[in-house]
Amino acid sequence: MKIEHVAFQVGDPVALAQWYVTHLGMTIKRAQAVVPFVHFLAADGDAVMLEFYANPKIPVPDYHAVDPLTVHIALLASDVAAERARLIAAGAAAAGDVQTNDAGDTFAMVRDPWGIPLQLMRRRDRMIG
C-alpha cells in the first residue's frame, strides 16, 4: 500500500491552501467551493498529498497548543535557516531555532499561520526520493 494523503481539519482551508501554494510550492489537485471546502494539495512530484477541510460537525484542533514533536509536516529544505526566515516573513511563527541532530540532519520548526507545525529538514544522508 502507498500513502495517498494525510488530512487536517482547519478553520479556513481556502486561505491555508493558497498560503501553501504560494509559500511551500504545493499545487491544488482538487478544491471544493462549498462546505467543507476540501482542498487536496500535492507536494513536489505528486508523490503525496495533504487534505485540508472545515467540517462544521467537528471542532478545529488547537494546533497552536500541540507540541511540534507530537505531530508536524516535514518538508525538505536545502537551506533550513533561509527557508525558516522566508516562511516567518510570510506569516509563519518560529517554533524553535535551527538545530542539528546526532545523525547530522539540520532542522527547524515553524508553525504555519493556522498553527500547524512544519519541520524544515535537511538530511545529511538522503532517505527518500
Side-chain angles (χ1 to χ4, degrees), residues 78-109:
S78 59
D79 185 334
V80 171
E83 290 297 335
R84 178 182 180 271
R86 183 182 68 78
L87 292 175
I88 290 170
D97 294 322
V98 175
Q99 301 176 49
T100 301
N101 64 20
D102 292 341
D105 303 326
T106 303
F107 65 95
M109 295 285 196

Side-chain angles (χ1 to χ4, degrees), residues 58-119:
I58 59 172
V60 174
D62 182 0
Y63 294 110
H64 292 282
V66 174
D67 187 307
L69 296 177
T70 300
V71 65
H72 57 265
I73 299 169
L75 304 160
L76 294 176
S78 59
D79 185 334
V80 171
E83 290 297 335
R84 178 182 180 271
R86 183 182 68 78
L87 292 175
I88 290 170
D97 294 322
V98 175
Q99 301 176 49
T100 301
N101 64 20
D102 292 341
D105 303 326
T106 303
F107 65 95
M109 295 285 196
V110 298
R111 291 181 185 275
D112 72 17
W114 297 267
I116 297 173
L118 305 174
Q119 182 184 61

